[in-house]
Amino acid sequence: MDLFLWKIGGEAGFGIMTTGLSFGKVAIRSGYHVFDYNEYPSLIRGGHNTYEVMISSQEVYAQKQDIDLLVCLNKDTYTHHKHRLTDKSIVVYDADEFTIEETGFVKLHIPFASMKKEHHVMQIMVNTIALGASLALLSGDIAIFYEIIEKEFKRKGEEVIAFNKKLTDLGFNYIKEHYSEHIKPVLTRKQEKSKMILTGNDAFSLAAVVADCRFYAAYPMTPSSTVLTSLAGWQDKSKMVVRHAEDEIAVMNTVLGASFAGVRSATGTSGGGFALMVEGISFAGVAEISVVVFLSQRPGPATGMPTWTEQGDLLFAVNAGHGEFPKIVLAPGDIHEMFELTLKAFDLADIYQMPVIVMSDKFLSESHKSVNKEDISNLFANYHPNRGKLVNAPGEGKYLRYKITDDGISERLLPGAPGAFYQVNSYEHVEDGHTTEEAAPRIEQVDKRSRKWQTYLDSHFKAPRVYGDIETADAVFVSWGGNKGPIIEAQKMLDAQGKKTAYIHFTHIYPMNTSIVKDILSKDKRYILIENNAHGQFGKLLTMETGIMIKESLLKYDGRPIYKEEIVAKVNT
């Protein structure tokens, strides 16, 4: 089985997330590629939590709809996900806790409740038994999970380690003794390159450290919160100052202050928090202060569905801030692009002295994907920060912070340099920073700032990447951000059906080089816009920038990611 989907579910507090991540680690250490996704309500206890892991011998970019092994730690798991079962599926559950009337798939009873009672364990420990059973069913090497247990519980002592191993053995041996005929060779160990398992948030955090970000401030907001906790946990090694501020207004102002002082600075948030930052974004625009904003989207409006996924903030990000000023919006589509574009975002913020927004969503931010360590190490090893026109001392003559230049970019002097003074505030200004309300200098400064966009389009804009051949394609997908994985997986399915497709993947969202984009979208083809929102926001942006309107679309906005099967069904209609 080259593609195998394992899924576990239970209440919040059952240890579902920990178990799912551990299963993914076992798969990676066994030599396989993985992609996982978790879903959970905004509750501390109760509700329904799930974790699914896609396993493949080849690189995999998204999950599939059909579940191959469903581990039910409560009835809700079966009820919510039985529609995804097939005649090849296996369901593991406790028949003493609830019954399953339906047929057409394999049902395996494991007495979780009895084991829990007999061995005097809390409910949160039952997931360890279930993981042991899963490893047995899939021919996994239990010794690999032992290694994970030893590392995870090292501080708690040998007794805790031994007890967790015992619980793993309970599930593992129960399968071996009672259901050996159902064991499948899914996780048989093989030799592969050393891999890491990372989320999009992990990638942004690591890249921020490599980019020499020295100050990060944020207020926790799902799904961006783990960037704050990760960077805070690394402070001793990275020497980055990480501040959990009282609200997002304070966050943006402290980040601008740190950047003005000369260090690379960033923040992360989601839609509601970003709404509080937009006045500060405008401040950065007029004062020409470098800042990187990580915007991880979730469904709105207002609180919306805070632990689910959507791409509903694109036009908000593009138009964030009052008045007219340049900004750059980038949107990685996977872990590798998150590394690359985060590094580029810090460079662009310094080069152009403006806000740069890196857009993600819950699907990309919190899904784990396996990546080769060597690839990431090479990317980081070859990176050298570009601080742009940042100077330590003024040149000859009077220093002009907002000097009129052909490229729109003025030299940025670190404050406190001997022999120079300049003023920075939120007002319009003349070249030396003093405020003005006169017409002529206002026009000069607006035009100066606006020229940065053309410089960017000439020097750093990157055309969308095309996967497949547009000329021979029966259908051409147009999309952005985290939809990349499901679309690429859909292309594989369609190719197996004999249908040729191409995919135009945008990462440099705003501003756009209209001539390049128009040329790519000018063919007489069936274009299909794919977005994780209700209004086709990227399609509207394309129309606004290029005049091109994509008439056919697949839009999903129920808080769930797009499945490859949904894309295939759209093409086949």
Side-chain angles (χ1 to χ4, degrees), residues 17 27 65 164 200 240 276 279 292 332 357 387 415 426 446 515 540 547 556 565:
M17 303 305 171
Q65 281 187 319
N164 275 273
M240 183 191 300
L276 295 176
E279 184 178 13
V292 172
I357 301 170
R387 299 303 307 270
S426 62
V446 170
S515 61
K540 290 183 177 180
K556 188 174 182 180
E565 291 88 350

Side-chain angles (χ1 to χ4, degrees), residues 270-418:
S270 192
F274 188 68
L276 295 176
M277 295 181 177
V278 293
E279 184 178 13
I281 294 286
S282 286
F283 192 144
V286 73
E288 302 189 40
I289 297 176
S290 310
V291 60
V292 172
V293 181
F294 179 66
L295 175 54
S296 186
Q297 303 161 95
R298 68 193 204 186
T303 305
M305 294 166 59
T307 60
W308 300 82
T309 195
E310 197 166 281
Q311 293 178 311
D313 295 337
L314 176 61
L315 294 180
F316 178 30
V318 166
N319 295 294
H322 53 284
E324 298 174 312
F325 61 94
K327 68 176 76 68
I328 295 169
V329 179
L330 307 175
D334 57 26
I335 301 295
H336 284 91
E337 289 181 355
M338 184 66 78
F339 281 122
E340 293 170 357
L341 292 180
T342 299
L343 294 176
K344 187 171 185 177
F346 279 98
D347 282 352
L348 293 176
D350 270 348
I351 293 168
Y352 294 101
Q353 301 168 27
M354 69 169 68
V356 178
I357 301 170
V358 178
M359 299 200 72
S360 184
D361 52 46
K362 194 258 183 183
F363 180 63
L364 176 56
S365 279
E366 295 192 349
S367 293
H368 289 86
K369 184 181 182 302
S370 53
V371 294
N372 290 328
K373 287 184 179 180
E374 185 178 348
D375 294 343
I376 304 305
S377 297
N378 291 337
L379 175 64
F380 287 166
N382 294 323
Y383 173 73
H384 303 284
N386 185 341
R387 299 303 307 270
K389 296 182 181 181
L390 180 66
V391 294
N392 294 315
E396 297 295 326
K398 182 180 180 181
Y399 173 68
L400 299 176
R401 172 64 188 93
Y402 302 108
K403 183 179 180 180
I404 305 299
T405 60
D406 291 338
D407 61 6
I409 307 167
S410 312
E411 285 189 346
R412 181 162 63 107
L413 177 66
L414 292 175

Side-chain angles (χ1 to χ4, degrees), residues 144-339:
I144 297 176
F145 186 50
Y146 284 167
E147 294 172 1
I148 294 172
I149 290 173
E150 289 167 1
K151 184 177 180 180
E152 183 73 22
F153 297 106
K154 183 178 181 180
R155 294 183 179 180
K156 294 187 177 182
E158 289 299 323
E159 186 176 348
V160 173
I161 291 173
F163 187 62
N164 275 273
K165 289 182 178 179
K166 176 183 176 181
L167 295 179
T168 305
D169 289 342
L170 274 177
F172 192 88
N173 293 332
Y174 194 89
I175 294 296
K176 292 283 189 178
E177 294 169 10
H178 296 85
Y179 302 118
S180 59
E181 69 275 18
H182 294 295
I183 293 175
K184 301 176 182 295
V186 175
L187 286 177
T188 51
R189 198 165 186 173
K190 61 178 185 175
Q191 294 297 319
E192 283 284 328
K193 290 183 178 179
S194 180
K195 291 189 285 289
M196 303 158 55
I197 183 167
L198 299 171
T199 65
N201 283 1
D202 292 334
F204 178 86
S205 302
L206 287 167
V209 173
V210 174
D212 198 33
C213 177
R214 293 291 175 162
F215 184 82
Y216 184 88
Y219 186 87
M221 192 169 191
T222 305
S224 68
S225 300
T226 56
V227 175
L228 175 63
T229 55
S230 294
L231 292 177
W234 302 340
Q235 282 184 100
D236 289 343
K237 292 183 178 180
S238 69
K239 306 305 178 185
M240 183 191 300
V241 175
V242 180
R243 181 172 185 252
H244 175 173
E246 61 269 33
D247 57 44
E248 285 86 356
I249 297 173
V251 163
M252 180 53 68
N253 287 327
T254 52
V255 167
L256 294 180
S259 181
F260 168 71
V263 298
R264 285 188 158 179
S265 305
T267 183
T269 188
S270 192
F274 188 68
L276 295 176
M277 295 181 177
V278 293
E279 184 178 13
I281 294 286
S282 286
F283 192 144
V286 73
E288 302 189 40
I289 297 176
S290 310
V291 60
V292 172
V293 181
F294 179 66
L295 175 54
S296 186
Q297 303 161 95
R298 68 193 204 186
T303 305
M305 294 166 59
T307 60
W308 300 82
T309 195
E310 197 166 281
Q311 293 178 311
D313 295 337
L314 176 61
L315 294 180
F316 178 30
V318 166
N319 295 294
H322 53 284
E324 298 174 312
F325 61 94
K327 68 176 76 68
I328 295 169
V329 179
L330 307 175
D334 57 26
I335 301 295
H336 284 91
E337 289 181 355
M338 184 66 78
F339 281 122

